C-alpha cells in the first residue's frame, strides 16, 4: 500500500524539469541548495505547456541586447540622415531627377577613429560653373559623436580638349551622384576618361576606389606619397586602386597620362608627422580653356552656407543647449560657462546665420576666441578672398617664415609656381568657389613666403597652436631637428 506523503514536504521536480546542475549535486544538499547558475526553467520541447531546463546563459541576453541597441541606433541614424538632406540654401544647384531617398544611400564600411557623418545617406548637388566646361558636385562631410560639425566636399568635372571628361577629387558614388554625372555625359556626348585623386588625406580618398569601379574604362591618376596607416597594405601607393598611376610634377599639356589642356603643380612635402611613411601631397590643376584653378585643401573661400548643409543642422548649432556647447559649458572650456548665462536664443534667419558661423569656425579653428558668438572671427576670414585653412596651416604647413624649415620652403615654392598661372576662378574642395586671381593667391601664402608674421588672429588660433605644441613635444609632429627622410 502507498504510504501517504507529509503535507509540509516539498515535491521534487519531475525529471524533465530538473536542473542539470542540481542533478550533479550531492544528495543531501540537493533539497537545501539553490541552483548554482541561477537558471530559469523553460518549457520542455517534449511536453506541451511544461517547463524544462534552460540552456541560455546571461551572456546571451547581453549579446542580444547589444545587437538590438546597435540595430535601433542604425535605424534611427538612417531615418535622421534621410530626412536631413534638404539644404538651407539650394540656389542654382540641382539634384537627381528621381528624388528618391534610396538614391542617396551610401554606407561607410569602416568608420575612422572619429565617427564620420553622414554614415548612411548623403545628397548630391550639381552646379554648372563655366557654361559647357566646368561642373561641380557637392556632398556633406563632417564629424559626428554629438558635434555634428559638417562642411561640404566638392568634386569637379571638366571638359577637356580632344574630347572626354576629367574628374578631380571623386566623392561618394551614390546612385544620385552617378545619375547627375551621366546627365552631363549624355548632354555633351562625352564620357569620363580620367579620374584624379589630388591628395593623400583620408577624407578625400575614402571614396576613390569605389568611384573608380563605376568607370572601369577611365584612366586613374593619384598624387604621390599615397599610404595607409598604421601599416602600408598592398597597393597603398596607388590608394588601393590597382590600375592607378602616380602623377608626376610636370606631367602637363598631354605629357604622360594627363589629358591635353591641363597643367599641374604638385606639393609633395617631406614627412610632417607620425612616421616616415605618412606624407602630405596636393595637386593643383589649371584648366586653361576656362582659366580655372582646382585645389583640394590648400585654400578656401568662406561665405554663405553650402547647399549640403541643411537648415536643421544650422538650427541645432544655433541652439545653446546642443551637445557640443553643453559639454564645453560643463567642462568650463573657452569661457563658455561664463558667457552662456548672458545669451539669448536666436531663431529663424538669425539663428541659421549664427549656426553656420559656429559650425564653420569650429571646423576651421576647433576653438576660437568666442564659441557662442563667433561673428568677429567669422567676419575676419570672410574679408579675405582666399585663406589657407587654419588646421592645415598650423598643423601641416607649420608657422612658416623660417628658411631652415624645408616644409615652409616647399610650400613657398609651390605657391609661387601656382601663382604663375593666369586663372580667374578658384575651385577648392570645401566651402565656396572664389572669383580670385594670382594676387589673391599670393596674399593667402604670405606667411610661408616670408612676407608676413601672423596668418590668423592670435586669439582664434590659440587652441590649434596649443595642440601643435603638444604634438611637437610628443614628437608626433616633426621639427627640422628630428624629421626623418622620405621612405
Amino acid at each position: 500500500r502507498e504510504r501517504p506523503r507529509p503535507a509540509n514536504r516539498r515535491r521534487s521536480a519531475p525529471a524533465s524539469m530538473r536542473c542539470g546542475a542540481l542533478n550533479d549535486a550531492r544528495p543531501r544538499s540537493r533539497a537545501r541548495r539553490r541552483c548554482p547558475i541561477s537558471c530559469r526553467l523553460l518549457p520542455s520541447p517534449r511536453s506541451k505547456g511544461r517547463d524544462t531546463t534552460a540552456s541560455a546563459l546571461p551572456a546571451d541576453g547581453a549579446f542580444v541586447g547589444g545587437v538590438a541597441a546597435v540595430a535601433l541606433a542604425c535605424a534611427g541614424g538612417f531615418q535622421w540622415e534621410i530626412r536631413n538632406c534638404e539644404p538651407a540654401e539650394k540656389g542654382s544647384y540641382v539634384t537627381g531627377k528621381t528624388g528618391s531617398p534610396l538614391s542617396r544611400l551610401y554606407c561607410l564600411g569602416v568608420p575612422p577613429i572619429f565617427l564620420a557623418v553622414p554614415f548612411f545617406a548623403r545628397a548630391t548637388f550639381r552646379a554648372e560653373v563655366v557654361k559647357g566646361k566646368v561642373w561641380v558636385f557637392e556632398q556633406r562631410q563632417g564629424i559626428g559623436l554629438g558635434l555634428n560639425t559638417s562642411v561640404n566636399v566638392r568634386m569637379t568635372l571638366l571638359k577637356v580638349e580632344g574630347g572626354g571628361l576629367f574628374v578631380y577629387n571623386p566623392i561618394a558614388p551614390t546612385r544620385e551622384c552617378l545619375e547627375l554625372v551621366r546627365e552631363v555625359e549624355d548632354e555633351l556626348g562625352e564620357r569620363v576618361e580620367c579620374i584624379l585623386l589630388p591628395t593623400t588625406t583620408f577624407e578625400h580618398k575614402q571614396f576613390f576606389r569605389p568611384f573608380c569601379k563605376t568607370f572601369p574604362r577611365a584612366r586613374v591618376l593619384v598624387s604621390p606619397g599615397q599610404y595607409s596607416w598604421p601599416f602600408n597594405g598592398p597597393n597603398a601607393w596607388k590608394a588601393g586602386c590597382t590600375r592607378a598611376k602616380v602623377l608626376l610634377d610636370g606631367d602637363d599639356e598631354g605629357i604622360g597620362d594627363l589629358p591635353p589642356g591641363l597643367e599641374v603643380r604638385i606639393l609633395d612635402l617631406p614627412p610632417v608627422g607620425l612616421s616616415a611613411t605618412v606624407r602630405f601631397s596636393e595637386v593643383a590643376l589649371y584648366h586653361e580653356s576656362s582659366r580655372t584653378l582646382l585645389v583640394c585643401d590648400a585654400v578656401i573661400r568662406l561665405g554663405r552656407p553650402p547647399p549640403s548643409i541643411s537648415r536643421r543642422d544650422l538650427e541645432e548649432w544655433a541652439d545653446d543647449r546642443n551637445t557640443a556647447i553643453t559639454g564645453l559649458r560643463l567642462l568650463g572650456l573657452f569661457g563658455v560657462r561664463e558667457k552662456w548665462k548672458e545669451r539669448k536664443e536666436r531663431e529663424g534667419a538669425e539663428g541659421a546665420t549664427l549656426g553656420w558661423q559656429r559650425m564653420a569656425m569650429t571646423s576651421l579653428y576647433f576653438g576660437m576666441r568666442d564659441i557662442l558668438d563667433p561673428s568677429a572671427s567669422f567676419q575676419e576670414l570672410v574679408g579675405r578672398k582666399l585663406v589657407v585653412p587654419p588646421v592645415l596651416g598650423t598643423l601641416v604647413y607649420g608657422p612658416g617664415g623660417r628658411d631652415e624649415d624645408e616644409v615652409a620652403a616647399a610650400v613657398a615654392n609651390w605657391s609661387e609656381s601656382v601663382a604663375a598661372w593666369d586663372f580667374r576662378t578658384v575651385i577648392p574642395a570645401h566651402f565656396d568657389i572664389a572669383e580670385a586671381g594670382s594676387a589673391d593667391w599670393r596674399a593667402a601664402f604670405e606667411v610661408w613666403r616670408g612676407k608676413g608674421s601672423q596668418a590668423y588672429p592670435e586669439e582664434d588660433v590659440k587652441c590649434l597652436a596649443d595642440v601643435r605644441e603638444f604634438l611637437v613635444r610628443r614628437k608626433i609632429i616633426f621639427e627640422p631637428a628630428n624629421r626623418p627622410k622620405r621612405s
Side-chain angles (χ1 to χ4, degrees):
R1 191 176 62 179
E2 184 177 359
R3 182 179 300 177
R5 298 178 179 177
N8 60 348
R9 183 177 177 181
R10 296 182 61 185
R11 298 181 62 183
S12 61
S16 60
M17 291 181 60
R18 289 176 187 170
C19 175
L22 289 178
N23 288 337
D24 296 336
R26 289 178 295 180
R28 289 187 178 182
S29 63
R30 187 179 301 172
R32 296 194 303 267
R33 292 176 59 190
R34 293 183 178 180
C35 172
I37 61 173
S38 302
C39 69
R40 294 182 179 181
L41 298 178
L42 301 177
S44 171
R46 294 181 299 175
S47 59
K48 297 181 180 180
R50 295 171 61 181
D51 292 339
T52 186
T53 306
S55 61
L57 296 177
D60 296 334
F63 174 76
V64 173
V67 172
V70 172
L72 288 174
C74 290
F78 171 76
Q79 290 293 329
W80 167 266
E81 291 182 357
I82 285 293
R83 296 175 181 176
N84 202 29
C85 286
E86 295 305 316
E89 297 182 16
K90 188 174 180 179
S92 60
Y93 287 78
V94 297
T95 56
K97 292 181 179 180
T98 59
S100 170
L102 297 180
S103 66
R104 296 172 172 177
L105 296 182
Y106 193 92
C107 183
L108 293 176
V110 180
I113 297 174
F114 53 86
L115 185 59
V117 294
F119 193 81
F120 299 101
R122 54 190 70 215
T124 306
F125 303 89
R126 186 190 70 201
E128 192 172 20
V129 180
V130 179
K131 184 68 175 177
K133 294 183 178 181
V134 183
W135 297 260
V136 293
F137 302 75
E138 297 188 13
Q139 294 177 349
R140 178 183 171 223
Q141 175 180 283
I143 302 174
L145 297 178
L147 297 177
N148 195 27
T149 300
S150 302
V151 296
N152 59 324
V153 59
R154 180 182 292 115
M155 175 181 77
T156 306
L157 188 67
L158 303 173
K159 182 182 179 182
V160 297
E161 297 177 9
L165 298 173
F166 182 92
V167 174
Y168 181 93
N169 189 42
I171 56 178
T174 63
R175 198 171 73 193
E176 182 181 43
C177 174
L178 297 177
E179 176 187 329
L180 293 171
V181 173
R182 302 297 185 194
E183 288 178 2
V184 177
E185 288 184 325
D186 295 340
E187 180 183 347
L188 300 178
E190 306 282 359
R191 290 292 175 259
V192 171
E193 299 290 347
C194 191
I195 303 170
L196 170 63
L197 174 64
T199 186
T200 56
T201 55
F202 170 79
E203 64 270 19
H204 290 286
K205 64 183 178 183
Q206 60 179 332
F207 304 119
F208 172 66
R209 185 178 176 185
F211 189 92
C212 292
K213 285 184 178 180
T214 61
F215 298 94
R217 296 183 179 180
R219 299 193 307 276
V220 179
L221 304 174
V222 298
S223 65
Q226 298 294 333
Y227 66 91
S228 60
W229 192 83
F231 306 106
N232 268 335
N235 295 310
W237 59 285
K238 295 182 177 182
C241 183
T242 56
R243 73 179 198 268
K245 295 184 179 180
V246 179
L247 187 65
L248 301 177
D249 206 358
D251 282 359
D252 49 36
E253 293 296 338
I255 301 175
D257 291 278
L258 198 68
L262 301 179
E263 300 179 33
V264 295
R265 296 292 181 268
I266 301 176
L267 173 64
D268 188 9
L269 295 180
V272 293
L274 290 179
S275 72
T277 60
V278 176
R279 302 260 294 279
F280 178 86
S281 67
E282 176 159 348
V283 178
L285 184 143
Y286 178 55
H287 187 224
E288 186 177 3
S289 65
S290 64
R291 302 176 73 180
T292 302
L293 171 65
L294 306 184
V295 293
C296 196
D297 296 318
V299 294
I300 61 168
R301 170 74 174 103
L302 186 60
R304 61 180 182 173
S308 55
I309 306 300
S310 70
R311 178 167 292 276
R312 197 170 184 177
D313 288 331
L314 300 181
E315 290 174 350
E316 179 180 337
W317 256 107
D319 188 355
D320 291 346
R321 296 162 296 183
N322 67 40
T323 304
I325 292 179
T326 300
L328 294 175
R329 179 166 56 88
L330 295 176
L331 295 174
L333 299 176
F334 302 107
V336 173
R337 181 180 298 170
E338 293 75 15
K339 298 175 183 178
W340 183 79
K341 299 178 182 179
E342 306 172 2
R343 296 285 306 164
K344 294 182 179 179
E345 291 292 333
R346 302 185 187 183
E347 298 179 353
E350 187 180 6
T353 300
L354 175 63
W356 171 236
Q357 291 178 356
R358 287 178 175 177
M359 183 180 292
M361 291 296 97
T362 302
S363 66
L364 293 174
Y365 284 120
F366 293 172
M368 48 283 186
R369 74 185 85 168
D370 192 341
I371 299 288
L372 296 179
D373 187 7
S375 57
S377 304
F378 186 85
Q379 292 302 326
E380 201 280 334
L381 293 186
V382 167
R384 310 185 196 183
K385 280 194 173 182
L386 296 174
V387 59
V388 176
V391 174
L392 180 68
T394 305
L395 301 183
V396 179
Y397 293 171
R402 296 177 297 175
D403 295 335
E404 69 275 7
D405 187 358
E406 57 181 324
V407 171
V411 172
N413 295 335
W414 176 74
S415 65
E416 194 61 34
S417 66
V418 172
W421 288 326
D422 185 23
F423 53 88
R424 292 292 178 267
T425 304
V426 179
I427 303 182
H430 304 289
F431 295 95
D432 267 5
I433 297 172
E435 296 299 325
S438 298
D440 304 307
W441 174 269
R442 286 191 174 98
F445 288 90
E446 278 187 349
V447 169
W448 294 276
R449 293 170 54 238
K451 305 295 184 180
S453 59
Q454 188 73 29
Y456 316 102
E458 187 174 356
E459 293 179 342
D460 289 329
V461 81
K462 184 179 184 304
C463 177
L464 281 175
D466 292 343
V467 170
R468 177 181 175 83
E469 182 181 355
F470 172 81
L471 296 177
V472 168
R473 287 201 310 266
R474 296 294 185 273
K475 297 183 179 180
I476 298 175
I477 289 181
F478 301 137
E479 288 281 88
N482 66 342
R483 178 171 289 116
K485 296 181 180 180
R486 300 174 188 265
S487 62

